[in-house]
Amino acid sequence: MKRSPWRLLGISLRLGHLTLHIACAFAVAGVYPALRVPVQQRFMRWWSRSLLTLLKVQHHVSGQPEGALAPACLLVANHVSWLDIFAVNALTPTRFVAKSEVSGWPVLGWLVQRAGTLFIRRAVRSDTVHVNARMAGLLQQGSVVGLFAQGTSSVPGQAVQFHAPLLQSAVAAGARVQPIAIFYHDKQGRCHEAAAFVDDTSFVESLWRIVSNPGIQVTVSYLPPIDACGLDRRALAMLTQCAVNAALARHLQAG
């Protein structure tokens, strides 16, 4: 589809502002791990909100995000896009678990490393045990940890299936599990697929599609938390999966 020169100029300006915003993150990243936790959280919220604003992604929330900041809380969400991390961090600064390939992404890979992201090599079975132990340790220290339990991304609004292995961390730490449903839509509430980071889409292709579609909106729904005490990881996976799928279905019906 042919775009007008004015629209191309607008996209170029937005990419220029985005470059400056990323440069700001690089300037802070060197000292970020040494900052006090409240300072890290304030910066993470500001940077994530500003990123969404620069990309013209309107951000909405339902539920009670402040509950997810309680000590020893594991956030479990569906996964649609690389934007998911920032849509959650704009509300709840979180140490996410991500596939090891993310660390190799241009620019953002290094930034998410400095932010304390935990990386897992999904093809290496022993990594699950190692990452579970690190997650449980962080939860016991009172940190908020985030997990996309699908193991891969899916198109917006699609029903999800959660995998159980990394939920063992919540069982081991006696943590709360906070289900989160992430839904991308237009202003009428209809499912919007431009943010989807699926199949063989590259990061650059995904970024271009997002900046070329200024009508993207995202709603982050914080659902009732689940106490992991007395439950095994499979039960936790099923309960969180059902809660997220029910929320996604409500969004689809409303649109």
Side-chain angles (χ1 to χ4, degrees), residues 8-94:
L8 288 173
L9 176 61
I11 293 173
S12 298
L13 289 172
R14 208 179 315 156
L15 288 172
H17 291 153
L18 178 62
T19 300
L20 292 175
H21 192 56
I22 292 172
C24 171
F26 266 94
V28 174
V31 298
Y32 184 87
L35 298 174
R36 293 184 298 112
V37 171
V39 178
Q40 289 181 344
Q41 291 178 338
R42 284 197 297 271
F43 179 80
M44 184 65 71
R45 284 196 191 97
W46 170 80
W47 198 87
S48 298
R49 289 171 180 168
S50 299
L51 176 68
L52 295 173
T53 299
L54 286 171
L55 295 175
K56 293 193 179 298
V57 176
Q58 293 190 39
H59 188 261
H60 309 277
V61 60
S62 67
Q64 299 180 345
E66 62 276 4
L69 288 172
C73 187
L74 176 65
L75 278 56
V76 181
N78 61 306
H79 191 24
V80 178
S81 171
W82 54 271
L83 282 176
D84 299 344
I85 292 174
F86 306 106
V88 173
N89 274 333
L91 298 158
T92 312
T94 302

Side-chain angles (χ1 to χ4, degrees), residues 111-133:
L111 290 178
V112 296
Q113 288 184 55
R114 298 299 292 175
T117 300
L118 306 177
F119 294 105
I120 182 169
R121 295 171 295 172
R122 298 192 183 277
V124 181
R125 187 178 296 273
S126 60
D127 254 24
T128 301
V129 176
H130 173 67
V131 173
N132 257 323

